[in-house]
Amino acid sequence: MKFIITNLENLAIRNLIFQKIPVIERKNDIFKVHSRKKIYDKCVKRIITGKDLNMKTLYLHIGTPKTATSSIQKFLKENWDVLQKHGYFLPESLHMYPGVNARRNAHFLVGKVQNEKGERDKKKETIYLKEGLQQIRDAFENYDHVILTDESIWYCLSYGKNSLLYDLKKEADEQNYQIKVIVYLRRQDKFLLSRWNQSVKQRTSHVSEMPCDQYFKMTQEKNEKIYQYDKKLDEIAKVIGKENLIVRRFVPESWRDGSIIHDFMHEIGMDVTSEFQELEENVNLRLDKNTTEIKRILNQESEFSKKEISYMGKYLKEISKTYIEKDTTEMLSKEELQQFLKKYEEGNYRVAEKYMKEEGPLFSDKIKDLPKWSPQNEGMLEEVILFFSKFMIDLKRTNDLQKNQIKDLQTELRKTETEFKVFQNKVRHPFRTILKRIFR
C-alpha cells in the first residue's frame, strides 16, 4: 500500500508514521519517498519546535511606516551575499515605481502603475504582480527563505488592496510554502506624527502642505483603520494564522542587543555575526520641528520644481541633526495626546496579550508634559538664518568651483589653439619644416 501526500503537516500522516506504509511526497510532479523514521523525526521536531522544518518560508515585512524600515532594507541589501550563503534570498525589484526606493522589493504586491498619459494601468500592474510571484517561485528552487519588504503594505491592507493576503496565501498553498508576516508597531501618536513628518519631508501629496493640527484632524477621519492595531492584526491572523504573525514593538528597550537590525534578523531566524556589514548610521532620519515647518512652507511654492525642493531639503536635513536632540516641545498638547491615545488603549492591551503573550499595556502611557510647539519659538529664527546661510554658502562654493573649472578649460583651450597654429604653419610650409629638422 502506498499513500501520496502534498503536505507533511497533514494530521493523517502523523498517524501513518507508526504503520509500515511508505510515504511519497509529490511536488511539481516529482515524487520523493520518505522512510517512516525520516517522517517520524520531522513530525517530532514539528511538535517540539512548532515549526515545519520541511516548509519553505516567505517573510513579508510590512512596516509599519517610520519604524526603521529603510534601515532594515538597506542592511539586507548591503548583506545580500551573506544572506544567500545562509539560505536567505532577497529578490531585487524588477520594476521602478515613482518615489519608491528599489530596496522596497515587495512593492509589486501593492504598487500602482501609470501609462504614458498618466492614467492608471491595471493591466501592467497585473503583469508586474505575476512577474514578482514567479521570481519567488524561482527563488524557492534554490533557497529555503525569501524576504520581501515594503512599509506601504500596512496601509494598503486597509485602503488599497484588501485582498492582498488572501491572494498571496492562495499562491503560497499552491506552491507549498508558508508566509510569515513581520510588523513593528509604535505608539499611535508617534506613528501619526512620524507619518506627517515624512509626508512633509518627501512632498508626496497635498498632505505635505498641511499644518500638523490640520493633519491630526484629517488622518483620524480618513485613515482611522491604520491606527487600530488590534483589528488589523486580527484580519492578518485570520488569513495566515496567528502563529505566522510576528509582532514587535518599535521600542529600543525591547530590541535584541538594543538594535532594530539585530531584532529583525533574529525574528527571521538569523543572528547578526561578524560576517555582516553593520550600517554606519540610521537611514531616513526625520526633520526637527522647525525645519519641518520651513520645508512645509517651501512645499507650498508651486514655482519650485521637485528637484529644487529636494535640493533645499538637503540643507534642512543637515540642520536637523544639530537641533533634533535639543527640542523641548511637542507638536500636540498633552491633552490632545491623552484624548487620542485613549481610543486605542483597550485594543493595545489585546495586542500585547494575544500576539505577544504579555500582560499589561503594549506601550508606555507616559506623556511628557511639554509646551506645544509654535512657529514663533525662539529657535526658529536661528534655524532659518542657518538654513539660508548654508544654502547661499554652498551656492557660492559651487559657483567658485565652476569658475575655476571654466578658467582651466580656457587655459586648455588657449594651449590647444597655440598648438593648432603651429601645426597649421607646418602643414603650409612642409619643406621648410623638413629642412629645419635636417640642418638644425
Side-chain angles (χ1 to χ4, degrees), residues 191-203:
F191 180 31
L192 181 150
L193 291 172
S194 64
R195 289 188 76 234
W196 172 72
N197 184 283
Q198 184 74 356
S199 296
V200 173
K201 189 171 73 168
Q202 293 187 336
R203 199 196 189 190

Side-chain angles (χ1 to χ4, degrees), residues 66-104:
K66 297 305 295 177
T67 55
T69 50
S70 296
S71 294
I72 292 172
Q73 290 157 4
K74 185 176 182 182
F75 175 84
L76 294 172
K77 182 68 175 177
E78 290 185 357
N79 290 280
W80 194 69
D81 293 340
V82 183
L83 289 169
Q84 289 192 82
K85 177 182 173 182
H86 292 277
Y88 289 77
F89 186 74
L90 182 73
E92 293 186 356
S93 296
L94 298 176
H95 302 280
M96 296 300 297
Y97 298 82
V100 177
N101 194 296
R103 293 191 293 262
R104 291 166 56 180

Side-chain angles (χ1 to χ4, degrees), residues 2-24:
K2 293 184 178 180
F3 190 83
I4 299 175
I5 64 170
T6 57
N7 191 337
L8 294 177
E9 285 188 295
N10 194 308
L11 182 61
I13 300 307
R14 300 181 194 174
N15 296 329
L16 287 170
I17 60 176
F18 297 105
Q19 304 175 31
K20 295 181 179 180
I21 301 174
V23 179
I24 303 176

